[in-house]
Amino acid sequence: MAKEKPLSERQQNILRFIWGYVQERRRPPTIREIGGSVNISSTSVVNYNLNKLKDKGLLERDADVSRGLRFTEQALAMFEDVGETVAETVSSAVDTLVRVPMVGTIAAGQPIDLPDTGHALYDDEDILAISAAMLPGGADKLFALTVKGNSMIDAMVNSGDIVIMREQKTAENGEMVAVWLKEDDTTTLKYFYLENPDTVRLQPANPTMDPIYVNAANVEVQGKVMMVMRQTA
Amino acid sequence: MAKEKPLSERQQNILRFIWGYVQERRRPPTIREIGGSVNISSTSVVNYNLNKLKDKGLLERDADVSRGLRFTEQALAMFEDVGETVAETVSSAVDTLVRVPMVGTIAAGQPIDLPDTGHALYDDEDILAISAAMLPGGADKLFALTVKGNSMIDAMVNSGDIVIMREQKTAENGEMVAVWLKEDDTTTLKYFYLENPDTVRLQPANPTMDPIYVNAANVEVQGKVMMVMRQTA
DNA sequence: CTTGACACCGAACACTTGTTCGTGTATAAT
DNA sequence: ATTATACACGAACAAGTGTTCGGTGTCAAG
């Protein structure tokens, strides 16, 4: 792309006019309509300026057709910065969401049923949407479970709470995970620490409660807890 | 509007072609382009069919200009029913979200700073978006606070959790509320019960903990707790 | 069988629209 | 002083595009 000079005032006015015209009439303007709006009486001056805007990467032109103008993505981004259309604003807002399927429940006495790959099959009402900033790492392998029973109070998790998890078979120290304790037939949500190759410390979220130490062979990591949500109304 | 006959196959094909052409090239097609796409060799037959679609309320036509076609809202709704455009799908998805401003913190030793009316002024990064189904009653008067300190563990709320609240000065029995206890200089989050006109029972969320009974005059309700969210990753 | 409505068609035409040409002015660089 | 570039302009032209006209064929109703 040619090295860019700033847009002239006339060129800015042309862009604004084209934008407004497209919003209102759902088609691009003609050379003569553009000229009329910015007080250019000659079609060749309009043509010259449109070619400058094309050189600057803001317009595409189709030759030898009527109304052969189109904004480039760069130009559309420029207009988005100004926030001029609801549709584009909306579209960019949705890019900042992740959509998490509600796939079932979690209770102490059974391992989690992990979801099948992908969740395009879920109905909208089984999808929980939330700001992506709340769930770093993107939407990959996320699912949500509803908690049944009071057995996870040590994790500061109540019955009825929603736990959002990311499928994961191993854990890093300090991560909150769902683990299935094979000998106890129990699922628990706790912070994971590998004390030594044989021993795992599982630390409750409630800081007033003591950790438990279990044999590493007894621990089956089922997922990383990304978020807990409690509806209170 | 004239009594409508069903669209002919040719007319359906014309509408589909126009739709696809507009999506791809960002301008309406010419009479001749339409004719070429549906095997009509005569511009007057295309003209005749476009006028029929206009009579049926599906197109608007501007006379004596090139590419003077536009879908009516009725036609756009028809296409939406088919779910053909991302923009409209996205727009309807966003209608199922609420956007909650993050306005500050909540700690035991101070009353909440309630936000000013409206939150159009907040930056995007201070807005938390979440499925509307999770927050019944709509977006009115919602705000979010980050918890500071461990003093709300009895509410099953950890330091760092996010509390979403709706501004409210009174409470119904069974609602979880933020209350400022004047004599104690304390904010607490508890389930509210008016035991008698003079006495309020404040019930911790943790079912293993005992309630407190306070003089109703000592209690200042500051908002209803709608949701608690804990990031664990 | 006749009539009217509808759908279709080619051709001509009028108008719209984009491109090209030749020219002029101002400014910056050489 | 000269040259190059940017910007500007009116006019002419070619091509694109929509409208109109006169006509044909099919089908349903009377």
Side-chain angles (χ1 to χ4, degrees), chain A residues 147-163:
Chain A
V147 175
K148 277 184 176 302
N150 284 334
S151 59
M152 294 180 192
I153 286 175
D154 62 347
M156 306 284 280
V157 173
N158 257 350
S159 187
D161 288 2
I162 292 170
V163 177

Side-chain angles (χ1 to χ4, degrees), chain A residues 127-149:
Chain A
I127 295 283
L128 169 60
I130 190 167
S131 297
M134 303 295 295
L135 287 162
D140 190 45
K141 292 183 178 154
L142 287 177
F143 56 95
L145 301 166
T146 304
V147 175
K148 277 184 176 302

Side-chain angles (χ1 to χ4, degrees), chain A residues 160-192:
Chain A
D161 288 2
I162 292 170
V163 177
I164 295 177
M165 304 185 60
R166 191 189 304 285
E167 192 177 328
Q168 187 172 291
K169 295 298 189 191
T170 60
E172 302 290 316
N173 282 347
E175 288 185 334
M176 177 173 274
V177 292
V179 299
W180 171 248
L181 298 177
K182 296 173 200 169
E183 289 180 7
D184 302 311
D185 285 337
T186 297
T187 288
T188 189
L189 306 178
K190 284 185 169 58
Y191 291 101
F192 176 102

